Structure formats: C-alpha cells, structure tokens
Amino acid sequence: MASLKKILIKGGKIVNDDLSAFVDVYIEDGLVKDIGISLNYSESEDMKVINAAGKLVMPGGIDTNTHFQYPFTGSEYLEDFFQGTKAAVAGGTTMIMDFAIPKKGTSLIEAFDTWRSWADPKVCCDYALHVAVTWWSDKVKKEMEILARDKGVNSFKMFMAYKDLYMVNDVELYQAFTCCKNIGAIAQVHAENGDLIAEGAKKMLSLGITGPEGHELCRPEEVEAEATQRAVTIANSVNCPLFVVHVMSKTSAKIIANARREGKVVFGEPIAAGLGTDGTNYWHVDWCHAAAHVMGPPLRPDPTTPKYLMQLLANDDLSVTGTDNCTFNTNQKALGKDDFTKIPNGVNGVEDRMSVVWEKGVHSGIMDENRFVAVTSSNAAKIFNMYPRKGKIAVGSDADIVIWDPEATRTISAKTHHQAVNFNIFEGMVCHGVPLVTIAGGRVVYENGILNAVQGHGKYIPRKPFPDYVYSRVLQRDGVDQPLPVHRQPYEGEVIQLK
C-alpha cells in the first residue's frame, strides 16, 4: 500500500497558510496533480483512497533545525538520519533541515559532502543542509560561494557561543554576513555571548555549583539577548538578512520583534522545547531529569516564557518553529555528572514539535490553523526558497502532506515515542491534535500509528540563492539607501603642524 503511486484524499479540509477549504486532493508520482470539490477518479489497484472527513489536510511540517548523527564534544548523537527522519514523519514532519558543521580550519565543502554521505542513504523524507561557518579565511569565502552556486546551500550558520570550538568573533561575523549578502544567502546565528558564558562557568564551578542548574546560571537570558542585539546590528550594517535560531528567552524575542517593526529583515525561530517546557527543570532534585533538559541556549526558569514566545509566534514577531533536536541518553549526559560544562547539550523534539505547537498554540486559542501551517511549514519554505514546492498544498507541489485530527489526543512519553533517546522532555503532556497519516514524497510513510518509512526514500533538496521572500527588500534597499558624500567647497585655511 505504502508504495502506491496514486493517492486520493477525500472529504477533508485543506489548510494552507493563507486559507482553508473543503476540497479533495489527488496525488500521482509524488506530486499534487489535482485539487477540487468531489474529485472523481476511478479507483484502481494502484490507487489508495483516504477518507479525511472531519480531518485537516495540511502541508507536512518542515523542521528548520535538526542535528542527526554528528559527533559533538566527544559523544555522538543517538539518532542517525534514518532514526531521526522516522521520528519526524511519525509526528507529521515531512522535511528536516540539518547542519553540516566543519571544525575550525577545515573545509566547508568537505563537511557538506560528509553530511550528504551520511544522510542520502538513510533519510525517509526530504532534507536540506545549512552549513556552519566556524572560522574565516579567503578559502571559507570561496567555498561559501561554491556551496551557494553549485550545491544548493542558501543558509550559513555562525556560532557566537562555544568558545574555542565553533565561536567566531564580531569581525568574522561581519565578513561572513557580507559574504552571505553578496551570494544571496541567509545568515543564521546561535546567539549567545561565548566569552561571558566561559567566565560565568568558571564562577559557578568555583562556587561549588556543578549540577545542571549551573548551565542556566552561567548563560542567563541577558547573555542571549546581548548576542541577539549584536547580531541584528552587524547584519543590518551590511544589509544582510538574519535568521536567529532557537530563540529561548523573552528578552531576545523582544529584540527580534522590535527589529522587525523597525523594518530590519530578521527572522526568529523558537523551538518546541522552549514552547512546551521551561528551565525550572534544571533545579529538579533528580540529576538525570535535570541533565536531560540541558541544551544551549538553555530553557528559561521563568515559567511564563513558553506562552510569551507562542504569542509572538502567533503574531509574526517570530517566524518559524524548529526543534534543535540532538539527543543523548542518560549515560551520555552523565559525562558531566561532576561538572555541568561537560554535559552534552541537546534535547528531543523532532517527533513532538507539531503536536506541541498545536496544543500550546491552536488548542489554547493563541493562533489559528492557518498560522499553525505558516509557522510549522510555509514560512520556512518561503525563507529558504522552497515555496510553493514545499509548504503548500497546490497543484504541482510535492506531495508532502499530513492528515491531522484536531480532536484526537495523545500523551507524549518516552515509552511510546519513535526516537532513540530514553527520556522525553515533554513526558506526560497531553496534546490535542494528532497526525493520522503522513505522506512524504507521495508515499504513505505513517498511518494510524504504523510506520512504513523506507531508508533512502527522501531526497536532498537544493535551494537557490536570493529567495524573493527575503531578498526583495534587501536588494531594493541596496539601490535606494546608499550613503552619498556631501559636495562642499574644500577647506583652504591653515592646518596645524603635528610634532
């Protein structure tokens, strides 16, 4: 059944980011071929008919921020690209965007090729790659140009944290942002002040604070906010579009919201973890529980933060949702049992993002179903130049679709999730809104709790530079906002002589 090339979805309500309508959808050879009221196609052995009456038919989710299979700080992420994308489609996500991260001094193109070699044989849904810039040189600049021109990469991430590992300084940020602008790419930042974090960590350890609470105490939200403001300022100085990954705090979100209202081209990405739970968990008396929530930037101990971030997401102050999914089991987290700086950073989310955003956003009345599609799928497709191939149900679009039951509920648990990790940060959360069927590339990969995912079914999606959604304003400003010199009479008086 899963490999049939024709699918007819009848009786459901299509929900795109701009409108909803009761129409049928006909899929053939991986593409949406027809949309209309009461479509009539003769049933055949190679066609699957899905009754979606009473259900929502939405574009599959796009997770803009995942990390699969990468060795980080001496410990490898639990999930490879097969395990990770299986979990994604089980949750209604049909595309992930991962990061190729070269070590300082090494080739960006080689890192990209390495990630492709890991992902291509394993992904069961489509994927794209951001590439990290962890150092700067003429070689890096040339490789960014090649990646944008020939490899389908239109987004590059810079770390303002992880001192001596990935962090770049302000001059390097300026140069990288300038290059992004020239090649039509989106500059992404992990916004935290790495120098202040390093000093704060020393202070916490000197005070005898070795547990997970030290992780948040040495990287309070002003450290995130300062870096966010700095990134916005540097990007604006070169008229480069900016995408701030994993926005975790009220203060940083306000900075992004204010920048957008000032007309700056900046996008903010809150993640499932920050929308569904909070940093009070770092003070939990069970070390394993507390350590399981360690990620960077950390969850914030202010319990009103998740709702605040959701409200800004609902009203376009923030733009998309990802997960920063990078999972470690308890015995891996235990590398930092005596020193919180050695706890591997990362939490789950790729499977639960759609349900968490629906529960905390739509079911709670903060956002509507169309905005849900925008923040889980369409906006990402627009920003990264994949729309309307992705992020929309329309004739000619890829058949990446989730059939969603807004009335059904499920309880999130590590005992039942499809991820490899032995802990779920949303444990026990009851979510209204459940994916019933996930169709990825025209293939039914998940249906009524059963996975039919196939390794290698997904494809790498190259992305062209200069996405209109991002660059139309940027390029217009280049033409009209250039400073001009003042024409004046030359000074002809005396000039003092310096000794």
Side-chain angles (χ1 to χ4, degrees):
M1 279 285 193
S3 61
L4 295 179
K5 294 186 177 181
K6 299 176 183 178
I7 301 171
L8 181 60
I9 304 171
K10 294 188 67 69
K13 181 164 96 169
I14 285 187
V15 182
N16 280 317
D17 67 321
D18 54 349
L19 57 85
S20 302
F22 287 93
V23 287
D24 300 340
V25 182
Y26 175 67
I27 294 164
E28 189 174 329
D29 294 329
L31 297 176
V32 176
K33 288 295 179 74
D34 197 3
I35 294 173
I37 297 172
S38 301
L39 291 181
N40 187 17
Y41 285 86
S42 57
E43 294 189 28
S44 59
E45 291 185 1
D46 63 345
M47 179 189 290
K48 181 179 179 68
V49 178
I50 300 174
N51 180 6
K55 310 299 186 290
L56 306 179
V57 183
M58 302 187 293
I62 300 173
D63 189 336
T64 49
N65 190 333
T66 67
H67 300 274
F68 298 133
Q69 208 160 327
Y70 177 57
F72 177 66
T73 58
S75 188
E76 185 167 324
Y77 297 151
L78 275 178
E79 288 149 350
D80 65 8
F81 279 94
F82 182 46
Q83 183 78 42
T85 55
K86 275 199 303 183
V89 298
T93 288
T94 55
M95 180 172 183
I96 58 104
M97 304 184 75
D98 211 274
F99 292 84
I101 307 178
K103 294 179 180 177
K104 281 186 181 290
T106 64
S107 165
L108 276 64
I109 292 174
E110 288 179 11
F112 171 84
D113 290 340
T114 297
W115 259 259
R116 286 290 308 270
S117 73
W118 289 341
D120 285 345
K122 292 186 177 181
V123 287
C124 56
C125 66
D126 289 350
Y127 80 104
L129 290 173
H130 313 292
V131 177
V133 175
T134 56
W135 62 296
W136 189 254
S137 69
D138 286 341
K139 178 186 177 183
V140 172
K141 180 181 176 183
K142 290 175 184 175
E143 290 197 331
M144 289 173 69
E145 294 169 352
I146 293 168
L147 286 164
R149 185 184 67 233
D150 301 332
K151 305 286 189 178
V153 176
N154 68 6
S155 47
F156 294 89
K157 178 184 177 183
M158 280 60 74
F159 291 88
M160 302 172 77
Y162 301 116
K163 187 175 180 179
D164 300 325
L165 182 63
Y166 297 135
M167 180 176 142
V168 292
N169 61 38
D170 287 0
V171 173
E172 292 169 323
L173 278 177
Y174 184 93
Q175 292 167 327
F177 288 178
T178 301
C179 183
C180 284
K181 159 69 183 316
N182 291 336
I183 63 178
I186 295 98
Q188 299 173 294
V189 288
H190 173 137
E192 288 184 289
N193 187 313
D195 289 314
L196 289 182
I197 291 169
E199 296 305 313
K202 292 176 189 174
K203 180 180 177 181
M204 292 304 123
L205 292 172
S206 72
L207 294 172
I209 298 173
T210 61
E213 69 278 10
H215 177 74
E216 202 285 332
L217 290 170
C218 78
R219 17 193 353 149
E221 70 175 77
E222 57 262 35
V223 169
E224 181 188 357
E226 183 279 329
T228 301
Q229 181 63 65
R230 184 156 39 98
V232 168
T233 302
I234 295 171
N236 189 62
S237 73
V238 296
N239 194 23
C240 175
L242 181 69
F243 186 102
V244 183
V245 302
H246 45 49
V247 178
M248 302 298 290
S249 65
K250 287 183 177 181
T251 320
S252 289
K254 288 176 186 175
I255 288 167
I256 293 167
N258 289 337
R260 287 173 64 81
R261 291 173 188 186
E262 292 166 0
K264 296 180 174 69
V265 183
V266 56
F267 306 97
E269 173 205 70
I271 61 172
L275 296 166
T277 186
D278 62 60
T280 57
N281 289 284
Y282 296 129
W283 280 264
H284 197 284
V285 293
D286 180 353
W287 185 93
C288 297
H289 178 102
H293 291 78
V294 168
M295 63 171 298
L299 296 158
R300 300 303 172 189
D302 178 353
T304 65
T305 298
K307 184 175 182 180
Y308 183 87
L309 294 176
M310 185 64 77
Q311 289 168 332
L312 265 60
L313 185 65
N315 292 289
D316 206 32
D317 293 311
L318 300 173
S319 301
V320 303
T321 57
T323 58
D324 198 21
N325 185 96
C326 45
T327 54
F328 300 96
N329 270 340
T330 303
N331 60 353
Q332 293 174 295
K333 293 277 188 176
L335 290 167
K337 64 185 179 63
D338 301 315
D339 179 349
F340 66 84
T341 66
K342 296 177 182 177
I343 300 173
N345 284 205
V347 297
N348 64 285
V350 72
E351 182 173 356
D352 298 317
R353 176 183 67 115
M354 299 280 278
S355 288
V356 168
V357 176
W358 186 275
E359 173 67 21
K360 300 295 186 179
V362 183
H363 183 72
S364 71
I366 294 175
M367 69 171 63
D368 63 21
E369 61 190 23
N370 305 103
R371 181 63 186 172
F372 173 82
V373 169
V375 302
T376 59
S377 184
S378 304
N379 285 353
K382 292 174 183 178
I383 292 167
F384 296 109
N385 217 5
M386 301 179 290
Y387 188 86
R389 177 181 177 182
K390 304 290 187 185
K392 187 177 181 69
I393 299 177
V395 174
S397 298
D398 286 354
D400 291 347
I401 292 173
V402 58
I403 299 174
W404 192 264
D405 188 341
E407 303 301 324
T409 62
R410 73 181 183 95
T411 302
I412 297 175
S413 176
K415 295 176 182 177
T416 54
H417 69 198
H418 296 83
Q419 301 208 234
V421 66
N422 66 351
F423 189 94
N424 193 308
I425 60 170
F426 310 113
E427 186 72 34
M429 181 189 296
V430 177
C431 289
H432 298 78
V434 174
L436 297 181
V437 180
T438 305
I439 300 168
R443 180 187 183 92
V444 176
V445 291
Y446 177 80
E447 185 172 19
N448 298 324
I450 298 173
L451 273 166
N452 296 302
V454 174
Q455 291 196 64
H457 170 69
K459 297 179 178 62
Y460 172 73
I461 303 299
R463 299 164 291 135
K464 292 181 179 179
F466 295 104
D468 287 342
Y469 185 76
V470 176
Y471 265 90
S472 57
R473 287 182 291 164
V474 170
L475 296 176
Q476 179 66 16
R477 289 172 189 180
D478 276 350
V480 299
D481 288 349
Q482 294 301 323
L484 297 171
V486 176
H487 295 287
R488 55 171 68 90
Q489 293 298 316
Y491 175 78
E492 295 180 349
E494 294 185 7
V495 180
I496 68 165
Q497 299 297 312
L498 298 176
K499 295 180 180 179

